[in-house]
């Protein structure tokens, strides 16, 4: 799909969003029936698809996804926190065509240390060197438009927000890039938490090496997209009903 056009194909967007939700459940990164993924269909972010209120990600189908039109009011089958966060991020950061918000265990652990952060200790964690915004003002569930706007402002020109005492938000132009990014972010968090658990000092990469590694990641956008497509092939073989 071409995210740079004013609108994108809704049918394909539904399939890809349902796939991303199924993949996340299979990777055990979801949290009960909470958290949300969304994809903007319009360039201004006013029309977007999002997972329905309190439906388990492991059984979401393309037809289950809710089409939100912020010019037409707030649908009843979308959680208020979803509207607060995703509605405001899509409105204020229209380049974020895909927005993913999660509370995976290892990532949330890194969001709960003082200070929250992702130290560059390996190839995965170095992907995020100087490329993560951090929220230090958690004040409870994000259920107001004001809180969503605050988070959107913090995200700014970055594509990742480590939400202190909360979780993570990833934004991207395509579903494939967003999925690979949030997957790798939590993989990196698992490595960092495992290293921390030894009680020994972390062997942090020097700034030059970490920066070069981060730039190398930026040069392989096709890797991220292919990862997503390969995961869809697995879903097609094992649970093709996600496309329904």
């Amino acid at each position: 799909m071409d995210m740079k056009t004013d609108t994108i194909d809704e049918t394909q967007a539904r399939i890809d969003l349902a796939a991303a939700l199924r993949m996340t459940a299979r990777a055990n990164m979801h949290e009960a029936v909470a958290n949300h993924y969304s994809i903007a269909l319009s360039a201004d972010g006013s029309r977007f698809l999002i997972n329905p209120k309190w439906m388990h990600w492991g059984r979401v189908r393309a037809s289950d996804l809710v089409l939100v039109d912020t010019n037409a009011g707030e649908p009843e089958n979308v959680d208020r926190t979803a509207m607060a966060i995703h509605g405001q991020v899509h409105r204020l950061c229209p380049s974020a065509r895909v927005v993913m918000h999660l509370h995976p265990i290892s990532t949330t652990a890194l969001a709960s240390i003082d200070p929250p952060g992702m130290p560059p200790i390996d190839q995965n964690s170095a992907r995020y060197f100087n490329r993560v915004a951090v929220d230090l003002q958690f004040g409870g569930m994000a259920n107001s438009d004001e809180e969503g706007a605050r988070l959107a402002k913090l995200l700014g020109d970055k594509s990742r927000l480590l939400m202190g005492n909360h979780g993570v938000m990833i934004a991207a132009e395509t579903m494939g890039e967003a999925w690979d990014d949030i997957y790798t972010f939590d993989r990196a968090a698992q490595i960092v938490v495992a290293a921390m658990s030894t009680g020994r000092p972390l062997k942090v990469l020097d700034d030059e090496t970490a920066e070069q590694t981060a730039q190398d990641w930026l040069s392989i956008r096709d890797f991220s997209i292919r990862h997503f497509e390969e995961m869809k092939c697995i879903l097609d073989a094992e649970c093709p009903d996600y496309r329904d």
Side-chain angles (χ1 to χ4, degrees):
M1 71 182 65
D2 183 2
M3 293 292 190
K4 298 183 183 301
T5 58
D6 287 343
T7 59
I8 62 174
D9 179 70
E10 181 179 338
T11 298
Q12 189 60 53
R14 284 180 174 275
I15 290 170
D16 287 347
L17 181 52
L21 293 163
R22 293 280 189 108
M23 293 173 195
T24 302
R26 285 176 158 234
N28 198 30
M29 293 165 60
H30 63 304
E31 182 166 288
V33 292
N35 296 166
H36 305 89
Y37 286 179
S38 60
I39 179 169
L41 300 181
S42 60
D44 65 358
S46 63
R47 296 177 68 250
F48 59 89
L49 295 169
I50 197 163
N51 48 302
K53 184 177 182 179
W54 302 339
M55 183 176 190
H56 197 281
W57 294 19
R59 68 184 193 91
V60 171
R61 300 168 301 169
S63 59
D64 294 319
L65 299 167
V66 180
L67 175 59
V68 176
D69 184 344
T70 57
N71 297 314
E74 191 168 314
E76 293 183 359
N77 55 342
V78 176
D79 184 74
R80 173 86 275 270
T81 61
M83 290 301 300
I85 295 176
H86 294 254
Q88 293 302 309
V89 173
H90 282 304
R91 181 177 72 87
L92 297 171
C93 307
S95 62
R97 298 302 290 261
V98 178
V99 178
M100 297 183 171
H101 170 52
L102 279 184
H103 306 160
I105 294 172
S106 296
T107 293
T108 306
L110 286 190
S112 304
I113 60 176
D114 189 14
M118 176 76 78
I121 65 169
D122 77 315
Q123 181 169 293
N124 283 348
S125 53
R127 178 177 184 171
Y128 305 100
F129 180 67
N130 284 342
R131 288 164 172 81
V132 180
V134 179
D135 176 21
L136 298 175
Q137 297 181 328
F138 175 74
M141 290 191 179
N143 53 16
S144 71
D145 288 346
E146 292 76 16
E147 176 64 4
R150 185 185 73 82
L151 294 171
K153 184 177 179 180
L154 281 173
L155 182 65
D157 61 354
K158 290 187 168 59
S159 61
R160 301 107 174 186
L161 176 64
L162 186 59
M163 305 161 76
N165 304 104
H166 188 168
V168 68
M169 184 191 304
I170 299 289
E173 287 187 0
T174 70
M175 192 67 68
E177 289 170 283
W179 157 252
D180 178 69
D181 205 356
I182 207 162
Y183 172 84
T184 304
F185 197 99
D186 195 58
R187 290 273 294 187
Q190 291 177 50
I191 292 167
V192 172
V193 170
M196 287 177 168
S197 71
T198 67
R200 301 183 63 181
L202 296 180
K203 192 175 186 299
V204 179
L205 298 175
D206 62 82
D207 288 0
E208 181 179 358
T209 302
E211 175 61 27
Q212 183 59 57
T213 304
Q215 290 183 22
D216 289 343
W217 272 105
L218 289 172
S219 71
I220 53 171
R221 179 173 182 254
D222 54 338
F223 169 92
S224 297
I225 293 173
R226 190 60 201 172
H227 178 200
F228 182 67
E229 293 301 320
E230 284 294 305
M231 292 297 294
K232 281 167 63 179
C233 289
I234 294 173
L235 294 182
D236 287 340
E238 297 181 358
C239 55
D241 65 313
Y242 79 92
R243 291 177 173 268
D244 295 346

